[in-house]
Amino acid sequence: MTQILKTKVLIIGAGTGGYVAGIRCGQLGLDTVLVDGSDGLGGTCLNVGCIPSKAIIHAASKFETVAKAAGDGTLGITASEPAIDLSKTVEWKDGIVRKLNNGVAALLKKAKVKVIKGWATFQDAKTCRVETEDGPITITAEHVILATGSEPVELPFLPFGGDVISSTEALSLDAVPGKLVVVGGGYIGLELGIAYRKLGAQVAIVEMAERILPLYDKALTDPVMKWLTDHGVEMHLGARAGGFGDGKLSITTKDGEPLSLEANKVLVTVGRRPRTAGWGLENMGVAMAGPFVKIDDRCATSMKNVWAVGDLTGEPMLAHKGSAQGEVVAEIIAGHDKRFDPVTIAAVCFTEPEIVSAGLGPLDVAGRDDVITSFFPLAAIGRALAIEAGEDGGFVRVLASKSDHRILGVQAVGQHVAELSNSFAQMLEMGAVLEDVAGVIHVHPTLGEAFHEASLRALGHAIHI
C-alpha cells in the first residue's frame, strides 16, 4: 500500500545544497520533507568528495613529513622509515565522514525536517514517488527544491570498473597502488595524484590540454607543475588516453605517437556532470540551459514554485555555492525578498602547493590597461618561511581598478593559502578598495600579511620588498 504525504517544501537530495536548504526551511517554520537516495547525508562533498579527499590529502602530507625525517632528517628531526596501512587511514577517514553524517542528521532533526531515505521519481513538477525499505510513498508539495548534485563523467573507452576507478573509489583503496595513472589534469585528479605520490605511488598524469589546470593562469599553476616535476610525477600533456587492458593504459602523446603506461589503477577525473537522469526530470517541464537546469537569480526554474540549487544549476560546481543557494531559496519560500547575486565565489585547489582564486584573474582582464596587478611573494613573509611555505614560488596577487582602486580579484598559490580564501572573498563582496586592505592591521606573523603587502605594493609603498 502506498503512503500519501503532503508537505509545504519537498527537497530532493541531501548534499550541501539540499540539507542546508532543509535546515533553513525548518528554522523558518516551514513543513519540510527531505528525500535522499545516497549512502549518507551530506551528498558527494561529505561522503566521497571534499571532506574525505582532504582527509586523505592530510594523511598523505603527514606521511611525507615523516618520510622526509628519515635518513638525514629535516629541521633537526630524524625518524625511522615510515610505513602506511592505507586500510587504517581509510577507516579513520570513514570515521570522520560518519561523525559528520550524524551531525547533519542531528541538525535536520533539530530543525524538524522529515528525512526519507529512498530514490524519488517525479510524475509531475510537484509529485514524486519514493521507493523506501518500508514501501512506496507518494509525496506532493507546494514547493520543490531540486538538489540532486553531480556525478563523475565516464569515458566510453574507459568505463569505471575493476582497476579503472573514479575519485569515489580512489578514496577507499585498501593499499597504495604501485603505479597510478591519472587521466585528467584538473583539480580532482591533481589533488589525488599528488596525495598518492606522497604516499609512495609512482604517478603519471595524462591531460588533453597543453598544461595542467587550464582554467587557471600559468603563474598560478607553475609552482604546482614544479612540485610534480621535482617529485618524479610523469607528465603527458597534450595527450589523449585510450583503452586499458593487461595492466597498461594506451595513450597518444602530444606528437601523435602511441605509448603504453603501466598501471595498477587508472583514476579517471575528466570532470563532473549534473545528475539529471533517473529521477523524472523530464516529467517536470522545467527549462534547461545545456546540461543544467535553468534558473534565475532567485534559483527559480521555469516551473512555478520549483527551485534548483547546487551542481544541478551549472558552474561553478562548488559545495559552498550550493549551500548559499539553499539558504536563499528557503528564505524566498518563507516570504523574504532575496536574490542569489554574489560578487564572487572563491575556489580552492588543494594541490601542492594550494591555489586560491576569487574574482577576476589575468585571463579575464587580458588587454585592459585600466587594471593594476600586484604580486607579493610568500618568501618575503616570516610566517611562510617558519613553516616551510615560502620556498615553492608562492605568492599573493591583487588586481584592482586604476581609477578608483576597487579590488577586482585576488589569487594566491602556496602552502596553506586555502585559509586566505574567505578573506579574499569577503573583501570582494564588500566592495573593498586597496586602501581598505592596506588600512587593516594584519596580524603578525601570518600568511595573511601577504595580502596586506600585495595591496600596499599596488599603491606603490610595500614595506617588506
Side-chain angles (χ1 to χ4, degrees):
M1 182 176 178
T2 302
Q3 181 183 347
I4 306 297
L5 189 61
K6 293 184 178 181
T7 185
K8 174 78 172 180
V9 182
L10 169 62
I11 303 170
I12 305 300
T16 48
Y19 88 72
V20 169
I23 291 170
R24 189 70 184 114
C25 282
Q27 290 173 342
L28 292 165
L30 302 172
D31 182 29
T32 304
V33 173
L34 174 62
V35 177
D36 186 68
S38 69
D39 293 330
L41 297 173
T44 294
C45 176
L46 196 157
N47 292 281
V48 293
C50 316
I51 300 301
S53 67
K54 302 314 165 281
I56 295 296
I57 289 167
H58 174 71
S61 294
K62 291 285 189 183
F63 182 85
E64 182 189 40
T65 298
V66 179
K68 283 181 178 178
D72 293 335
T74 180
L75 308 179
I77 302 168
T78 57
S80 301
E81 196 71 32
I84 179 84
D85 183 340
L86 192 60
S87 63
K88 289 185 177 179
T89 306
V90 168
E91 184 179 334
W92 164 75
K93 177 266 295 181
D94 289 343
I96 294 170
V97 170
R98 281 193 302 272
K99 182 181 292 186
L100 291 171
N101 286 151
N102 293 335
V104 171
L107 291 169
L108 288 165
K109 183 177 180 180
K110 180 182 178 182
K112 296 182 172 58
V113 176
K114 182 177 179 60
V115 177
I116 297 176
K117 183 173 175 58
W119 191 259
T121 306
F122 280 86
Q123 284 87 51
D124 59 45
K126 305 291 175 55
T127 308
C128 75
R129 178 184 172 93
V130 184
E131 301 296 336
T132 75
E133 291 182 355
D134 299 323
I137 303 174
T138 297
I139 307 173
T140 59
E142 293 181 40
H143 294 265
V144 172
I145 303 176
L146 302 175
T148 56
S150 62
E151 58 195 3
V153 171
E154 185 175 45
L155 295 173
F157 50 87
L158 274 178
F160 294 130
D163 291 327
V164 179
I165 61 176
S166 72
S167 57
T168 298
E169 292 77 36
L171 294 169
S172 294
L173 296 178
D174 58 7
V176 177
K179 294 184 177 181
L180 173 69
V181 176
V182 180
V183 178
Y187 76 95
I188 297 174
L190 289 179
E191 286 181 4
L192 294 174
I194 288 170
Y196 275 107
R197 181 68 193 103
K198 289 180 178 181
L199 291 171
Q202 294 298 312
V203 176
I205 308 285
V206 179
E207 167 57 43
M208 191 167 60
E210 295 294 320
R211 61 185 185 85
I212 59 171
L213 298 168
L215 296 179
Y216 293 91
D217 63 274
K218 191 171 180 294
L220 286 176
T221 61
D222 276 350
V224 179
M225 189 65 186
K226 183 178 185 303
W227 189 96
L228 293 166
T229 302
D230 289 349
H231 289 78
V233 175
E234 191 177 328
M235 303 300 298
H236 298 279
L237 303 178
R240 293 180 177 271
F244 176 71
D246 298 324
K248 293 184 178 180
L249 176 71
S250 299
I251 72 167
T252 303
T253 68
K254 179 181 177 181
D255 299 325
E257 298 295 325
L259 186 66
S260 291
L261 302 179
E262 293 186 10
N264 300 112
K265 299 288 181 185
V266 176
L267 170 58
V268 179
T269 58
V270 293
R272 296 183 66 85
R273 62 187 175 202
R275 187 176 285 113
T276 55
W279 49 271
L281 175 63
E282 63 278 5
N283 299 324
M284 300 187 73
V286 299
M288 303 295 289
F292 302 104
V293 171
K294 185 177 182 179
I295 59 170
D296 62 15
D297 64 355
R298 299 165 70 244
C299 300
T301 71
S302 59
M303 181 64 68
K304 182 176 174 60
N305 291 344
V306 175
W307 317 82
V309 303
D311 290 357
L312 189 63
T313 66
E315 298 289 354
M317 296 168 75
L318 298 171
H320 42 290
K321 181 196 79 170
S323 297
Q325 288 177 318
E327 288 190 68
V328 165
V329 170
E331 292 175 8
I332 290 172
I333 293 172
H336 300 188
D337 183 15
K338 300 284 288 188
R339 293 289 187 275
F340 181 72
D341 187 26
V343 172
T344 187
I345 302 174
V348 177
C349 295
F350 289 87
T351 44
E352 186 66 61
E354 296 170 349
I355 296 175
V356 176
S357 182
L360 300 181
L363 301 178
D364 302 305
V365 300
R368 289 175 55 175
D369 60 4
D370 61 339
V371 176
I372 304 168
T373 301
S374 172
F375 291 79
F376 195 85
L378 291 180
I381 296 295
R383 171 67 170 166
L385 295 178
I387 59 173
E388 300 181 281
E391 303 169 357
D392 52 18
F395 60 84
V396 171
R397 178 177 63 205
V398 177
L399 283 74
S401 169
K402 281 184 180 178
S403 61
D404 61 4
H405 293 177
R406 184 79 57 196
I407 296 174
L408 304 175
V410 194
Q411 293 83 40
V413 57
Q415 292 182 54
H416 312 297
V417 296
E419 300 307 322
L420 302 180
S421 58
N422 294 314
S423 177
F424 296 169
Q426 183 181 44
M427 285 297 181
L428 283 163
E429 198 66 39
M430 295 177 68
V433 295
L434 292 169
E435 287 83 356
D436 291 324
V437 182
V440 173
I441 299 175
H442 285 64
V443 174
H444 175 77
T446 64
L447 296 182
E449 291 176 274
F451 186 18
H452 185 232
E453 289 278 9
S455 299
L456 289 174
R457 195 176 191 186
L459 292 169
H461 52 87
I463 300 299
H464 290 97
I465 197 167

